[in-house]
Amino acid sequence: MRSVLFAGVSVFLLSFPAIAQKEPVTSVIGSQFAAFLNNDAETAFTYASPNIRRIFGTPERFGEMVQQGYPMVWRPAEVRYLDLREVAGSLWQRVMITDQSGAVHLLDYQMVNLESGWKINAVHLLKGQADSV
């Protein structure tokens, strides 16, 4: 019994740093969604990490990539934040997006905490995962 209790407490303590960051992380992701809904690629670009900003160079190129590659992010009908977890020292926020046609998509957002606050460092579309939600 004692080992089960210890294991439960250990899991909670290991996940606590991620739990403590959930609101600031989801706030950044939500702000980027709001910017996309307002066709404001310039503001959306400010939520991207320096690495992403370097890759795309301009807010316009970034916005075009999102529109073409992640249309569910550009125009979500519904957004639900699922688990925030730490993987190999990085925080990943799972997001379930329902697009305008009603299709459900699962995405993982890699977040980095910089001096200027939380930024989105990567977004991975999880293929074939939405059916299991």
Side-chain angles (χ1 to χ4, degrees), residues 4-66:
V4 171
L5 179 61
F6 178 75
V9 170
S10 297
V11 167
F12 174 76
L13 291 176
L14 289 174
S15 66
F16 185 73
I19 292 168
Q21 300 303 327
K22 188 162 181 89
E23 194 283 324
V25 164
T26 58
S27 177
V28 167
I29 297 169
S31 295
Q32 190 177 65
F33 282 131
F36 288 141
L37 285 168
N38 287 318
N39 295 315
D40 187 354
E42 189 169 325
T43 297
F45 199 50
T46 66
Y47 299 108
S49 71
N51 186 46
I52 298 298
R53 293 170 61 90
R54 222 176 354 268
I55 290 168
F56 292 99
T58 68
E60 295 76 24
R61 287 180 51 200
F62 176 69
E64 289 171 9
M65 179 278 299
V66 174

